[in-house]
């Protein structure tokens, strides 16, 4: 069956195809090892002007403790997800110091482009105050996995030229699978209650991690889910391309084109994230998350995640969740008048979603 030019596929089959793709561009496998790390004193932001304060994150619901800072336990660790520099995954974990040994729900948080795990601290503190183990990671070529202001940009261009890595979304999804291995083994985490969320690029990481690994029991990507094929077919790819322009410029030059056009965009996606605009696009991967609770929160006017591009994924997801007799476990919220921006309303929606399904 076809709809919008994308064939519908059996969820298990498409998941195994995706995992097979991830394995094709890995360096040598290593055992899952954990090593201690030190808190990062000066986090690396790959923005010319580093951000300082987020009203959205500060608005996240938190439990009312006067001495919250004293109650928090902070862990800084690395886990190794494959050989090589980028196989070292830095984690920042916050929880409250508890005397009882009960296992708790956990939520993984992923940052947006050019940011890092330390930026997410207000969210980690808010969730930890409410009884979660809250985990933030540096995605590939970000934070402790970056060495300059152009590390991520350079990795994208290198991926286009060499075709040996997948720095846009997919390589970090591999890390999220290995992270689920680690979190499932921890004494303080209930392995059946692990959630995942993220903003923008982090929202895409959360979406694909939930698709790839069913151990992520609940997912709630923020301003991340979009239809890549739809954007190409409907000439709405410009805002997404502008967000990581260097790789498309490199491709334009390499292909001998005067300007970035639809063909350049298709070739870049095929090269740096194979299947992103075809079998692994939203119309197939969003419904494949059923029956696990899945919340999508976007801005109704977001040019990077055009709402019209989610019509087919939404229709298919509603059908998949209805067939699984859990229609209430899928929800798409499009905040009116909002572009590509996380808002306090989105933060609250996600917070309520996790409380509903993980608590």
């Amino acid at each position: 069956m076809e709809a919008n030019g994308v064939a519908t596929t059996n969820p298990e089959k498409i998941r195994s195809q995706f995992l097979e793709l991830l394995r094709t561009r890995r360096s040598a496998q290593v055992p899952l090892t954990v090593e201690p790390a030190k808190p990062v004193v000066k986090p690396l932001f790959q923005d010319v002007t580093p951000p300082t304060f987020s009203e959205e994150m500060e608005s996240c619901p938190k439990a009312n403790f006067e001495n919250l800072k004293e109650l928090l336990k902070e862990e800084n660790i690395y886990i190794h997800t494959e050989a090589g520099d980028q196989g070292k995954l830095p984690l920042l974990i916050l929880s409250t110091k508890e005397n009882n040994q009960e296992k708790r729900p956990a939520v993984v948080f992923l940052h947006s482009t050019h940011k890092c795990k330390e930026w997410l601290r207000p969210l980690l503190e808010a969730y930890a105050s409410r009884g979660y183990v809250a985990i933030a990671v540096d995605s590939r070529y970000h934070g402790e996995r970056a060495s300059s202001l152009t590390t991520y940009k350079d990795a994208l261009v290198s991926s286009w030229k060499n075709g040996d890595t997948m720095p846009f979304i997919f390589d970090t999804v591999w890390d999220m699978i290995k992270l689920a291995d680690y979190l499932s083994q921890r004494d303080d985490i209930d392995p059946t209650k692990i959630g995942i969320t993220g903003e923008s690029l982090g929202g895409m990481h959360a979406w694909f991690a939930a698709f790839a690994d069913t151990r992520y029991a609940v997912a709630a990507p923020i301003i991340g889910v979009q239809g890549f094929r739809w954007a190409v077919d409907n000439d709405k790819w410009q805002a997404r391309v502008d967000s990581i322009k260097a790789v498309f410029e490199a491709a334009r030059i390499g292909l001998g084109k005067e300007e970035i056009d639809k063909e350049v965009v298709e070739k870049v996606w095929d090269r740096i994230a194979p299947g992103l605009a075809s079998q692994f696009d939203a119309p197939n991967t969003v419904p494949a998350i059923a029956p696990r609770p899945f919340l999508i929160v976007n801005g109704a006017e977001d040019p990077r995640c055009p709402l019209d591009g989610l019509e087919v994924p939404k229709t298919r997801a509603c059908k998949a969740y209805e067939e699984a007799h859990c229609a209430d476990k899928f929800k798409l919220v499009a905040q009116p008048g909002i572009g590509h921006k996380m808002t306090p309303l989105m933060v609250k929606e996600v917070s309520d979603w996790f409380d509903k399904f993980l608590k």
Side-chain angles (χ1 to χ4, degrees):
M1 181 180 133
E2 293 232 343
N4 204 30
V6 183
T8 49
T9 317
N10 172 295
E12 288 314 315
K13 185 179 172 192
I14 193 169
R15 203 171 349 262
S16 69
Q17 288 170 346
F18 184 68
L19 294 172
E20 195 50 48
L21 168 70
L22 294 188
R23 290 187 193 105
T24 61
R25 295 195 190 182
R26 301 271 66 80
S27 53
Q29 291 300 294
V30 295
L32 184 73
T33 50
V34 181
E35 65 171 284
K38 291 189 168 66
V40 177
V41 181
K42 278 193 169 174
L44 176 63
F45 293 91
Q46 292 178 65
D47 296 307
V48 182
T49 321
T52 51
F53 177 79
S54 165
E55 178 202 350
E56 304 78 47
M57 290 195 292
E58 294 292 347
S59 76
C60 188
K62 48 180 87 65
N64 209 350
F65 291 115
E66 281 180 17
N67 57 338
L68 178 60
K69 300 277 191 224
E70 294 159 37
L71 292 173
L72 287 175
K73 178 173 84 172
E74 175 176 333
E75 298 168 74
N76 290 273
I77 59 173
Y78 301 117
I79 66 169
H80 291 267
T81 64
E82 63 181 317
D85 289 348
Q86 288 298 321
K88 191 171 171 180
L89 175 68
L91 308 182
L92 169 60
I93 304 174
L94 292 188
S95 56
T96 49
K97 299 167 186 164
E98 296 280 355
N99 295 325
N100 66 19
Q101 296 302 304
E102 278 183 18
K103 289 180 180 280
R104 299 180 231 181
V107 176
V108 176
F109 298 85
L110 291 133
H111 58 77
S112 55
T113 303
H114 295 158
K115 303 231 177 14
C116 56
K117 64 188 181 304
E118 287 74 23
W119 173 246
L120 298 168
R121 191 177 189 99
L123 289 178
L124 302 185
E125 290 185 0
Y127 275 76
S129 79
R130 294 179 3 236
Y132 290 92
V133 178
I135 305 104
V137 311
D138 284 329
S139 61
R140 297 253 175 159
Y141 310 99
H142 285 78
E144 292 185 72
R145 305 166 98 177
S147 54
S148 76
L149 293 180
T150 62
T151 298
Y152 180 50
K153 182 174 80 176
D154 297 344
L156 292 167
V157 172
S158 169
S159 173
W160 161 258
K161 289 182 174 171
N162 303 311
D164 55 350
T165 57
M166 298 184 287
F168 187 65
I169 309 177
F170 292 175
D171 283 343
T172 296
V173 175
W174 176 262
D175 294 335
M176 292 305 95
I177 294 168
K178 295 297 183 180
L179 177 62
D181 291 344
Y182 167 69
L183 297 179
S184 302
Q185 295 168 10
R186 277 181 64 115
D187 293 337
D188 58 346
I189 289 174
D190 181 340
T192 67
K193 293 188 173 179
I194 302 173
I196 190 164
T197 182
E199 175 195 1
S200 194
L201 175 64
M204 294 188 238
H205 290 144
W207 154 28
F208 275 93
F211 154 63
D213 196 327
T214 57
R215 290 173 297 182
Y216 289 109
V218 182
I222 301 170
I223 61 172
V225 181
Q226 66 171 104
F228 285 90
R229 178 80 251 158
W230 184 93
V232 169
D233 290 343
N234 291 275
D235 201 34
K236 298 277 197 238
W237 44 263
Q238 293 81 359
R240 170 60 58 213
V241 164
D242 285 345
S243 71
I244 48 170
K245 192 135 189 202
V247 64
F248 292 94
E249 272 298 318
R252 175 190 71 74
I253 294 162
L255 294 166
K257 295 264 191 169
E258 289 293 311
E259 58 185 26
I260 297 168
D261 60 14
K262 178 179 168 176
E263 187 196 357
V264 172
V265 176
E266 287 186 287
K267 282 192 157 47
V268 168
W269 291 147
D270 282 348
R271 180 86 163 158
I272 73 169
L276 183 64
S278 52
Q279 74 263 42
F280 305 131
D281 199 1
N284 287 339
T285 52
V286 169
I289 293 167
R292 289 166 290 143
F294 190 51
L295 168 70
I296 298 171
V297 281
N298 281 4
E301 311 301 326
D302 187 344
R304 294 191 201 176
C305 305
L307 208 48
D308 289 346
L310 290 181
E311 275 307 309
V312 172
K314 179 186 171 184
T315 303
R316 289 194 190 171
C318 286
K319 184 167 180 277
Y321 280 85
E322 278 164 16
E323 285 174 355
H325 308 291
C326 56
D328 65 318
K329 289 184 180 175
F330 175 72
K331 187 177 174 187
L332 192 159
V333 176
Q335 188 175 352
I338 300 294
H340 192 72
K341 180 177 169 33
M342 183 168 78
T343 67
L345 176 101
M346 295 175 185
V347 170
K348 176 80 165 68
E349 285 276 353
V350 168
S351 175
D352 291 348
W353 190 257
F354 285 128
D355 280 357
K356 180 178 178 180
F357 291 109
L358 288 179
K359 278 297 184 75

